[in-house]
Amino acid sequence: MCIRDRNNTNKAYEICLESGDPTASFFMAKHMESIGDIEKAIPLYAKAQQLNNAVRLARESNNDNEVMQLSMNAPKQVALQSAAYFESKGYIEKAVILYIKGKNAKRALDLLSLIHISEPTRLLSISYAVFCLKKKNNL
């Protein structure tokens, strides 16, 4: 399909989403990124299993929810990059979870030591991170 105008672009986008074809989704994602439609490029890269590109765009557009969601299913290196991203933004709990996913338990423990464990916390993600680290250390 030749994409010459916005209507054709939207139609091609819908076809890619419906078909789930990874190759078509990848090329459509590249097109969407090239025209600046990042919001549509991210899910297309994800459908194409190009999670590194999807996460990169989500980080560049400060879409933190999307970064976290995609990084949980991404390869180890992408998870570690996202962990550093969240750490730099001060989102310690997200960074810890992604460091664990990326198999960097040492950095996760270092960050956990910055949190005052004696303070009451409602952050389920921190509790989950501590549980994972304890489980890993018991093995």
Side-chain angles (χ1 to χ4, degrees), residues 115-121:
I115 299 170
H116 299 288
I117 301 298
S118 61
E119 293 178 9
T121 181

Side-chain angles (χ1 to χ4, degrees), residues 1 3 8-29 31-32 40 43-45 47-48:
M1 173 180 278
I3 303 173
N8 283 343
T9 298
N10 288 334
K11 186 173 182 177
Y13 172 76
E14 293 300 325
I15 290 170
C16 285
L17 288 180
E18 290 171 10
S19 74
D21 181 274
T23 303
S25 294
F26 174 73
F27 286 108
M28 192 67 204
H31 173 71
M32 290 301 200
K40 288 184 178 176
L44 288 168
Y45 276 130
K47 276 202 176 291

Side-chain angles (χ1 to χ4, degrees), residues 19-68:
S19 74
D21 181 274
T23 303
S25 294
F26 174 73
F27 286 108
M28 192 67 204
K30 285 183 64 124
H31 173 71
M32 290 301 200
E33 182 179 3
S34 74
I35 64 171
D37 198 340
I38 303 307
E39 188 176 312
K40 288 184 178 176
I42 292 171
L44 288 168
Y45 276 130
K47 276 202 176 291
Q49 290 302 304
Q50 295 290 317
L51 294 176
N52 56 330
N53 287 319
V55 172
R56 173 184 54 82
L57 289 179
R59 282 194 305 254
E60 288 172 2
S61 61
N62 290 311
N63 188 339
D64 293 343
N65 289 335
E66 197 76 41
V67 171
M68 187 66 185

